[in-house]
Amino acid sequence: MKYLAAYLLLALAGNEAPSAADIKAVLSSVGIDAEGDRLDKVISELQGKDLQQLIAEGSTKLASVPSGGAGGAAAPAAAGGAAAAAPAEEKEEEKEEESDEDMGFGLFD
């Protein structure tokens, strides 16, 4: 990914065909050592191709990938009336504990 990002940055800056040395220079400027085999793979895959067309093709592929999260699981049904009343009482007790008492300190004192 870092090699592709460096390649795209160079292309954006006006270098239509970045070389391995160009990409190494970009990566070394931020303290990243480039691996020769991966760098050669990126350059060989992108050589002679139109980046705008590749980005457009990639965008259409990403559009078909589901990216929404799944909905939360449904709450279990209460077993009986007494069981449903117990959680309500617990919630009321929690609210009492979380009161807004300032303990003698005010925000603007």
Side-chain angles (χ1 to χ4, degrees), residues 13-102:
N15 187 348
E16 294 181 12
S19 66
D22 295 333
I23 294 173
K24 283 182 183 180
V26 169
L27 293 176
S28 67
S29 71
V30 292
I32 298 174
D33 293 328
E35 297 176 22
D37 57 336
R38 290 186 178 189
L39 181 58
D40 293 337
K41 173 100 169 135
V42 168
I43 290 173
S44 67
E45 291 290 326
L46 296 175
Q47 189 173 12
K49 295 183 180 176
D50 181 29
L51 290 177
Q52 297 300 326
Q53 182 182 3
L54 290 174
I55 292 170
E57 289 174 10
S59 295
T60 58
K61 289 179 182 178
L62 283 176
S64 66
V65 175
S67 61
E89 291 174 9
E90 290 176 0
K91 287 182 182 179
E92 289 177 14
E93 290 176 16
E94 288 177 15
K95 287 182 183 178
E96 290 175 12
E97 291 175 12
E98 298 175 348
S99 66
D100 291 340
E101 293 180 19
D102 62 359

